[in-house]
Amino acid sequence: MAGFRALFMAVFVFAIAFHSSMVNANIAKSMYFNWGAQHSSILGNGDDLRLVLDQTSGSGIQSKRAFLFGSIEMLIKLVPGNSAGTVTAYYLSSTGAKHDEIDFEFLGNSTGEPYTVHTNIFTQGQGNREQQFKLWFDPSADYHNYTIHWNPSEVVWYVDSVPIRVYRNYVSEGIAYPNQQGMRVYSSLWNADNWATRGGLVKIDWTAAPFAANYRRFRARACKWNGSVSVSQCAIPTPANWWTSPVYQQLSNGQQVTFESSMVNANIAKSMYFNWGAQHSSIFGNGDDLRLVLDQTSGSGIQSKRAFLFGSIEMLIKLVPENSAGTVTAYYLSSTGAKHDEIDFEFLGNSTGEPYTMHTNIFTQGQGNREQQFKLWFDPSADYHNYTIHWNPSEVVWYVDSVPIRVFRNYVSEGIGYPNQQGMRVYSSLWNADNWATRGGLVKIDWTAAPFVANYRRFRARACKWNGPVSISQCAIPIPANWWTSPFYQQLSNGQQGQLKWVRDNYMIYNYCTDFKRFNGQMPPECSKPQY
């Protein structure tokens, strides 16, 4: 009897393993067009997909199989340029009035503005559980991985292995959870300009059509749905049902650190405080809009409550308009003390009609003198633009609207300092620097134009929280939770290197690495190394 029982269990486990095997088939074998096929194409080796929207129709695709529990992933490159009014949807769903559904929806943007990532979950036909996010990269510039991980304990939404949202199973407390219905995988590109962008205020610009979203490498490592028998079979805690392992029942400590430190939903009011000139400052709106003011009595400044080590720090900023000569708007990371580390954006004010100078610098162990300066290719006082510092164990990259403008690489092994030993807080300030800011101090502030105002919006720190020296190793461990350690972020892509060259060829006005007179020919050692 014991031998029969062992044989039975072996056959049963094998059956489950077969039943829940990963779908390695490409898009062409795993999915089919369910509408707008005339706008769609499967390319290459059958694992590249393009969905198209024009004035006649959008398009959509769905999986041939339904699943219950597992990981569903896709690489997606969203509609570039002015995608306002469009929605690219990627989701799981069953059918019927009492359907279950787990959503990623990407709400199109006006050129230069970030996409909104809209997530939702339906259980037994009930939704209204939306959470929205901005991304820490341009999702139309390259492919990024979007994964829905779903098991009997929780649903987790991942972007490039970073968890952005969790929905846990509280069925025992009378709260519905999607564990009774198989769901197929869907993706579509469609006209939603009645609601998608700024609540429907911004409509699709059809002169920019056709709009195209590109997909690659659909994978469903999931339990195949075979009817109601799967409700129990897919939830049995066996090695074959890997998603039932305790390791997947709750985010790991590292993932929770990343999830919490991403501060996706934390606004300026919750994340920062005024460190000087509070009487000149105001946080307004929903707590994610900031105004810093400078007049003859004082400037003003703000800093983050937390310090960080590695990640992406970003802010939308609209600089002081018109005659801002003599003022400086600073946005930077810094530790404290004589041997501090620091990574700087400083915007040096202009006379009316003249462009701002964007001044960048980096300090390691108290040593700076690594200035590079640029003119911008737009008026930074006319609208908000995204300024991001991306910092990991390999390199620091300064971005403007997702365009890399400068790189400082890690050459610690060759005796060159790098900021990887100290946590840094985020600071921004508006202050009087007319002794040096504009034409070396020749142009002074015109106080008749005061007060001067810089506006900020949407501070985000998707970064590792500094918890003392232990963070030096913890924040650098190459694990999925530390997404910044991924090989993807160790060096600029070929496309990014092309963007960097364009900026440096056309807009760089000073580079310390070419200032031989200043250093009497004894150039800083990093200047002789590959820069990116």
Side-chain angles (χ1 to χ4, degrees):
M1 187 67 179
F4 174 79
R5 187 161 52 245
L7 178 62
F8 173 80
M9 287 303 298
V11 171
F12 180 77
V13 170
F14 175 80
I16 291 290
F18 180 78
H19 175 71
S20 60
S21 60
M22 180 174 180
V23 174
N24 287 311
N26 58 20
I27 291 173
K29 294 179 180 177
S30 304
M31 309 188 83
Y32 66 92
F33 299 121
N34 57 345
W35 66 291
Q38 73 278 10
H39 287 81
S40 305
S41 55
I42 294 176
L43 315 167
N45 63 357
D47 211 15
D48 286 83
L49 165 70
R50 178 173 295 137
L51 295 182
V52 176
L53 165 67
D54 65 19
Q55 280 184 286
T56 65
S57 175
S59 47
I61 200 165
Q62 72 174 69
S63 64
K64 297 175 182 177
R65 296 293 309 236
F67 307 95
L68 180 67
F69 304 141
S71 278
I72 310 296
E73 64 178 284
M74 184 85 85
L75 297 182
I76 308 177
K77 183 164 64 172
L78 298 178
V79 176
N82 186 357
S83 57
T86 72
V87 166
T88 305
Y90 163 60
Y91 61 103
L92 309 179
S93 185
S94 57
T95 57
K98 291 189 175 292
H99 72 294
D100 292 342
E101 186 173 322
I102 306 169
D103 298 338
F104 272 110
E105 289 185 299
F106 305 92
L107 313 187
N109 61 356
S110 300
T111 301
E113 294 296 316
Y115 266 82
T116 294
V117 181
H118 178 97
T119 67
N120 201 359
I121 186 167
F122 289 73
T123 57
Q124 295 291 303
Q126 297 298 313
N128 299 322
R129 299 182 177 108
E130 298 89 349
Q131 290 184 7
Q132 293 185 337
F133 307 83
K134 298 299 185 183
L135 290 165
W136 52 100
F137 52 82
D138 177 359
S140 68
D142 205 347
Y143 289 91
H144 290 268
N145 184 298
Y146 303 93
T147 295
I148 296 168
H149 181 81
W150 165 42
N151 65 28
S153 300
E154 62 185 11
V155 177
V156 186
W157 290 251
Y158 288 93
V159 176
D160 289 338
S161 300
V162 176
I164 65 167
R165 180 179 180 181
V166 177
Y167 184 85
R168 291 194 59 78
N169 183 346
Y170 291 111
V171 166
S172 63
E173 300 179 40
I175 301 171
Y177 186 80
N179 60 0
Q180 300 294 306
Q181 303 180 61
M183 295 194 274
R184 295 181 188 269
V185 186
Y186 297 84
S187 199
S188 57
L189 175 58
W190 51 289
N191 173 2
D193 70 3
N194 62 328
W195 68 275
T197 307
R198 292 178 56 200
L201 294 177
V202 184
K203 303 300 183 183
I204 290 178
D205 176 8
W206 290 111
T207 65
F211 303 97
N214 289 279
Y215 300 76
R216 182 171 291 168
R217 203 174 63 81
F218 163 63
R219 296 293 183 268
R221 190 165 178 255
C223 196
K224 294 176 181 176
W225 174 256
N226 286 314
S228 57
V229 67
S230 297
V231 173
S232 60
Q233 284 184 342
C234 294
I236 295 171
T238 65
N241 288 350
W242 58 269
W243 49 85
T244 64
S245 164
V247 76
Y248 296 104
Q249 289 178 17
Q250 190 170 11
L251 295 185
S252 68
N253 289 338
Q255 288 173 317
Q256 289 183 39
V257 166
T258 306
F259 182 66
E260 292 167 2
S261 69
S262 65
M263 296 171 63
V264 172
N265 291 310
N267 58 21
I268 290 173
K270 293 178 180 177
S271 305
M272 309 189 82
Y273 66 93
F274 300 120
N275 56 350
W276 66 291
Q279 73 278 10
H280 286 80
S281 305
S282 58
I283 295 174
F284 55 98
N286 63 355
D288 212 14
D289 285 83
L290 165 70
R291 181 174 294 134
L292 295 182
V293 177
L294 165 68
D295 65 18
Q296 281 184 286
T297 66
S298 175
S300 48
I302 199 165
Q303 74 175 69
S304 64
K305 297 175 182 177
R306 295 294 309 232
F308 307 95
L309 181 66
F310 304 140
S312 277
I313 311 296
E314 64 177 284
M315 184 85 86
L316 298 182
I317 308 176
K318 183 164 63 171
L319 298 179
V320 176
E322 298 179 347
N323 187 357
S324 57
T327 72
V328 167
T329 305
Y331 163 59
Y332 61 103
L333 308 180
S334 185
S335 56
T336 57
K339 292 189 175 292
H340 73 292
D341 292 341
E342 186 173 324
I343 305 169
D344 297 338
F345 274 108
E346 290 185 299
F347 303 93
L348 313 186
N350 61 358
S351 300
T352 301
E354 295 297 316
Y356 266 82
T357 294
M358 183 171 60
H359 178 97
T360 67
N361 201 359
I362 185 167
F363 290 72
T364 59
Q365 294 291 303
Q367 297 297 313
N369 300 322
R370 299 183 176 109
E371 300 89 348
Q372 291 184 5
Q373 293 184 338
F374 306 81
K375 298 297 184 184
L376 290 164
W377 50 98
F378 52 82
D379 177 359
S381 68
D383 205 348
Y384 290 92
H385 291 268
N386 184 299
Y387 303 92
T388 295
I389 296 167
H390 180 82
W391 164 43
N392 64 31
S394 301
E395 62 184 12
V396 177
V397 187
W398 291 252
Y399 288 93
V400 176
D401 289 337
S402 301
V403 176
I405 64 161
R406 180 179 180 178
V407 178
F408 185 83
R409 292 195 60 77
N410 184 344
Y411 289 111
V412 165
S413 63
E414 301 182 43
I416 299 168
Y418 187 79
N420 60 359
Q421 301 293 305
Q422 302 180 61
M424 295 195 274
R425 295 181 188 269
V426 186
Y427 298 84
S428 199
S429 56
L430 174 58
W431 51 291
N432 174 1
D434 69 2
N435 62 328
W436 70 275
T438 306
R439 294 180 57 202
L442 294 177
V443 183
K444 304 300 183 182
I445 290 179
D446 176 8
W447 291 111
T448 65
F452 303 97
V453 178
N455 288 280
Y456 299 76
R457 182 172 290 168
R458 203 174 63 80
F459 164 63
R460 296 295 182 266
R462 294 196 61 85
C464 196
K465 290 180 181 176
W466 174 257
N467 289 312
V470 67
S471 296
I472 294 171
S473 59
Q474 285 183 343
C475 295
I477 297 170
I479 58 176
N482 289 350
W483 58 270
W484 48 85
T485 63
S486 164
F488 181 82
Y489 296 103
Q490 289 179 14
Q491 190 169 15
L492 296 186
S493 68
N494 290 338
Q496 289 173 319
Q497 290 184 37
Q499 291 177 316
L500 182 74
K501 184 177 186 304
W502 172 76
V503 171
R504 297 171 78 83
D505 287 349
N506 293 282
Y507 297 100
M508 176 179 268
I509 58 174
Y510 177 80
N511 182 0
Y512 77 107
C513 279
T514 61
D515 194 342
F516 297 98
K517 181 178 179 181
R518 174 184 179 185
F519 296 103
N520 296 316
Q522 300 297 312
M523 303 305 293
E526 66 270 13
C527 293
S528 64
K529 307 295 180 185
Q531 298 293 298
Y532 51 89

